[in-house]
């Protein structure tokens, strides 16, 4: 009888531990009592690999705040148990962020438990898999586009620079902007991926080396807007070459967390630097972003951007992601069905 109970209360997932044996992320049979408190229990269908998941799984940065912890900052699944009036058993829900996969066990396991206020219903426009192809990367790209729009960057204002173009945020930023009629210039370290970037909607592809070294406080004005997932000198140079009154949406640090810039573009050209955080973003903004994604994205884009893996392949794929060897998005079929 005990054995039967154990079988019923374990599930497969990636578990990160840190102890005298070191830092390690392993696929394991996880006992349900490892799950944190929450009013909704979810059978996870799909998760994803984001840059932050790569950092958590490899231990390259201190993303994980306590151990043991299931990584995965994104999930979509079916509600199995609910003490919340907002969700019923059988509902399809998604989660992006709110510290999930960092402080609270996340989506890279077959079961998750979390607070109902961190969940939104799966938008009807998307299948569970499509929602995870979008995931935090696509939702963050949408938040960046919304920041440009809020600051008056319309398609007629000129070119938009997207850095980290082959990454998840970059790929979705290009797709969304081009669907909205913007002219997009993609910056990448992988020029051999230009056909992919042009298929997503980039009109020009430039090498990231043109932006990644220390530059001047002000450069020739070129960009009406920028979506930057790279940080460091790239962000500084992007600001320096943004046109008068333009806006730079900064969301990432793939090159570095530093920002070696001057105030010149801000005080002489009146540019705006819009910081984008997806993790603690209020629920209403999330719903708006997902609604906008539902309106803009066509199903055909998902096959181009994503590759599917299962839980067994997650740890290896996390290293590849941080090494810049993955294009677009990785979606994880958590149930392996
Ligand atoms: P990916 O790993 O999918 O993409 C990152 C891309 O950045 C790579 O594909 C590569 O593009 C480029 N890149 C990698 N290393 C360097 C480097 N040394 N110098 C310049 N460019 C580099 O990550 P995501 O798209 O998921 O995330 C991108 C960034 O955005 C990360 O820093 C992540 O933490 C951040 N992020 C922040 C969020 C927020 O809430 N603020 C939410 C989501 C992501 P290419 O090969 O084309 O050059």
């Amino acid at each position: 009888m005990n054995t039967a109970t154990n079988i019923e209360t374990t599930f497969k997932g990636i578990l990160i531990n840190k102890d005298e044996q070191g830092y390690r992320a392993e696929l394991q049979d996880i006992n349900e009592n490892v799950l944190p408190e929450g009013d909704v229990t979810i059978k996870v269908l799909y998760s994803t690999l984001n840059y932050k998941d790569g950092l958590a799984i490899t231990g390259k940065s201190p993303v994980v705040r306590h151990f043991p912890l299931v990584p995965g900052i994104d999930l979509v699944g079916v509600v199995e148990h609910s003490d919340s009036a907002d969700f019923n058993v059988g509902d399809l829900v998604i989660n992006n962020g709110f510290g999930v996969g960092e402080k609270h066990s996340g989506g890279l396991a077959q079961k998750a438990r979390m607070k109902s206020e961190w969940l939104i219903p799966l938008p009807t426009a998307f299948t569970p898999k499509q929602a995870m192809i979008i995931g935090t990367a696509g939702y963050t790209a949408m938040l960046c586009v919304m920041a440009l729009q809020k600051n008056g960057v319309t398609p007629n204002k000129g070119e938009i620079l997207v850095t980290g173009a082959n990454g998840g945020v970059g790929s979705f930023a290009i797709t969304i902007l081009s669907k909205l009629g913007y002219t997009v210039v993609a910056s990448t370290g992988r020029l051999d991926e230009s056909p992919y970037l042009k298929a997503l909607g980039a009109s020009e592809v430039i090498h990231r080396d043109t932006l990644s070294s220390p530059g001047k406080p002000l450069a020739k004005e070129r960009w009406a807007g920028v979506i930057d997932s790279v940080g460091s000198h790239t962000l500084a140079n992007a600001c320096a070459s943004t046109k008068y009154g333009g806006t730079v949406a900064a969301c990432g640090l793939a090159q570095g967390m530093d920002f070696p810039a001057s105030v010149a573009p801000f005080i002489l050209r009146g540019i705006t630097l819009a910081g984008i955080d997806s993790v603690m973003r209020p629920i209403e903004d999330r719903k708006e972003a997902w609604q906008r994604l539902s309106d803009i994205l066509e199903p055909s884009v998902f096959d181009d951007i994503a590759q599917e893996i299962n839980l067994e392949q997650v740890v290896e794929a996390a290293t590849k992601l941080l090494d810049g060897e993955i294009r677009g998005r990785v979606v994880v079929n958590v149930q392996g069905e």
Side-chain angles (χ1 to χ4, degrees):
M1 181 152 178
N2 277 345
T3 313
T5 306
N6 283 339
I7 289 167
E8 278 168 22
T9 55
T10 64
F11 51 90
K12 288 205 178 306
I14 308 292
L15 201 63
I16 299 179
N17 266 297
K18 187 184 178 190
D19 52 26
E20 58 284 353
Q21 291 168 46
Y23 189 104
R24 59 202 186 281
E26 293 164 321
L27 178 61
Q28 294 187 10
D29 287 323
I30 300 174
N31 197 295
E32 193 163 340
N33 63 20
V34 166
L35 291 181
E37 289 186 2
D39 54 350
V40 179
T41 305
I42 300 159
K43 176 185 175 185
V44 182
L45 300 176
Y46 288 92
S47 185
T48 68
L49 276 190
N50 294 278
Y51 194 84
K52 195 180 272 177
D53 300 315
L55 295 176
I57 290 165
T58 59
K60 203 172 162 191
S61 274
V63 167
V64 176
R65 312 288 175 78
H66 71 83
F67 304 91
L69 183 124
V70 175
I73 66 170
D74 286 324
L75 68 81
V76 62
V78 188
V79 173
E80 276 191 345
H81 175 87
S82 174
D83 292 324
S84 160
D86 295 330
F87 297 101
N88 297 314
V89 171
D91 285 353
L92 284 162
V93 291
I94 54 177
N95 163 267
N96 313 112
F98 280 122
V100 169
E102 300 178 65
K103 303 184 261 199
H104 187 105
S105 276
L108 286 166
Q110 291 174 329
K111 203 170 275 216
R113 187 177 298 126
M114 56 188 59
K115 294 185 182 174
S116 50
E117 57 259 39
W118 298 342
L119 300 170
I120 62 172
L122 173 72
T124 52
F126 302 125
T127 64
K129 181 175 170 181
Q130 289 170 343
M132 282 299 100
I133 292 172
I134 297 166
T136 289
Y139 146 65
T140 302
M142 190 70 240
L143 293 175
C144 291
V145 172
M146 285 158 60
L148 298 189
Q149 292 179 321
K150 190 174 155 217
N151 285 296
V153 181
T154 44
N156 62 339
K157 295 275 172 72
E159 294 170 310
I160 310 294
L161 171 68
V162 173
T163 65
N166 275 294
V169 175
S171 293
F172 271 105
I174 294 167
T175 305
I176 295 164
L177 287 166
S178 81
K179 295 268 180 246
L180 292 173
Y182 289 89
T183 305
V184 185
V185 177
S187 166
T188 180
R190 291 179 268 177
L191 285 181
D192 53 322
E193 294 289 2
S194 296
Y196 162 75
L197 298 171
K198 289 195 169 168
L200 294 183
S203 54
E204 186 183 338
V205 180
I206 62 173
H207 199 285
R208 73 186 189 199
D209 286 353
T210 59
L211 292 159
S212 60
S213 300
K216 294 179 184 164
L218 286 175
K220 187 164 180 266
E221 293 179 61
R222 178 160 185 192
W223 319 116
V226 178
I227 295 182
D228 176 61
S229 59
V230 165
S232 192
H233 292 293
T234 301
L235 175 58
N237 287 325
C239 290
S241 49
T242 293
K243 291 204 283 191
Y244 193 93
T247 293
V248 177
C251 73
L253 43 63
Q255 182 182 3
M257 200 188 247
D258 57 332
F259 181 41
S262 88
V263 296
F266 306 101
I267 64 173
L268 298 176
R269 290 184 183 159
I271 78 154
T272 298
L273 181 57
I276 304 298
D277 168 60
S278 66
V279 179
M280 299 311 294
R281 195 77 178 209
I283 207 89
E284 288 315 314
D285 288 1
R286 291 168 188 263
K287 286 183 178 167
E288 183 187 344
W290 278 97
Q291 184 54 52
R292 301 278 309 274
L293 288 161
S294 304
D295 296 341
I296 294 166
L297 295 178
E298 289 160 16
S300 58
V301 73
F302 296 105
D303 293 337
D304 297 337
I305 286 184
Q307 54 179 295
E308 179 176 315
I309 63 170
N310 56 34
L311 281 174
E312 281 79 18
Q313 297 164 295
V314 162
V315 174
E316 188 187 349
T319 302
K320 284 189 180 165
L321 185 92
L322 292 190
D323 289 345
E325 290 173 20
I326 286 183
R327 185 184 88 178
R329 296 281 290 151
V330 179
V331 63
V332 184
N333 184 342
V334 173
Q335 297 295 330
E337 287 162 357

